[in-house]
Amino acid sequence: MTLMKLVVIACGLLLIGAAWWSATMNAKAADWPETRGVIALSEHRQATDGDNDSVRIEFDYEVAGQRHRGTTVSYAGLPAQSGEKAALVARYPVGREVKVYYDAADPGRAVLERAPSRAWMAAALMGLVLVALGLFRDI
């Protein structure tokens, strides 16, 4: 087996693992209790090349008298397109009161959106294709 085949298979397995983690965390978050929180930071940084822009959203919340700061909007992932990223930041402006869903077993783990998503399926499918290519094709 060539090095290239191993790299392709490894990338496929990483995608499958990431998809599994995303689906598992999203399913767990569906049962988490909620509390109120406030958006503390909300920014969309556009790169000069237009391809590598980023979103950063942070929120403060309190559970059992303990203050926390969360950074996870959704376990389904962030939007890929710049316009969708800008819309996400617009939906969570600094100072906005929000529902925060937190893990009762680990209140420092929280998320803003817990709606079911099938986005993980695309990553899993891509991962399976890469594994199959690595195993059954000459690369």
Side-chain angles (χ1 to χ4, degrees):
M1 194 171 282
T2 67
L3 178 60
M4 181 58 105
K5 281 186 169 231
L6 291 174
V7 168
V8 169
I9 291 169
C11 288
L13 291 174
L14 282 172
L15 276 172
I16 292 167
W20 174 83
W21 180 86
S22 175
T24 300
M25 290 305 296
N26 207 35
K28 285 181 181 181
D31 294 327
W32 289 353
E34 75 177 61
T35 188
R36 302 302 298 168
V38 176
I39 300 297
L41 177 73
S42 183
E43 62 184 15
H44 176 209
R45 291 188 181 176
Q46 291 188 318
T48 54
D49 64 6
D51 288 335
N52 296 316
D53 56 339
S54 64
V55 169
R56 189 166 163 203
I57 296 174
E58 296 181 3
F59 50 95
D60 294 327
Y61 63 101
E62 192 173 306
V63 175
Q66 182 112 21
R67 298 180 75 183
H68 300 276
R69 178 163 285 197
T71 59
T72 304
V73 174
S74 168
Y75 288 116
L78 292 174
Q81 302 299 320
S82 185
E84 293 171 336
K85 289 177 182 179
L88 180 67
V89 168
R91 196 163 66 236
Y92 293 110
V94 171
R96 172 168 280 171
E97 209 174 280
V98 291
K99 288 182 183 178
V100 176
Y101 305 97
Y102 66 93
D103 183 348
D106 179 9
R109 181 183 306 177
V111 66
L112 295 177
E113 298 176 2
R114 62 180 186 175
S117 170
R118 302 214 185 272
W120 63 271
M121 288 180 164
L125 182 60
M126 240 193 297
L128 287 172
V129 168
L130 287 175
V131 169
L133 285 173
L135 291 173
F136 303 115
R137 299 281 300 193
D138 287 332
I139 300 175

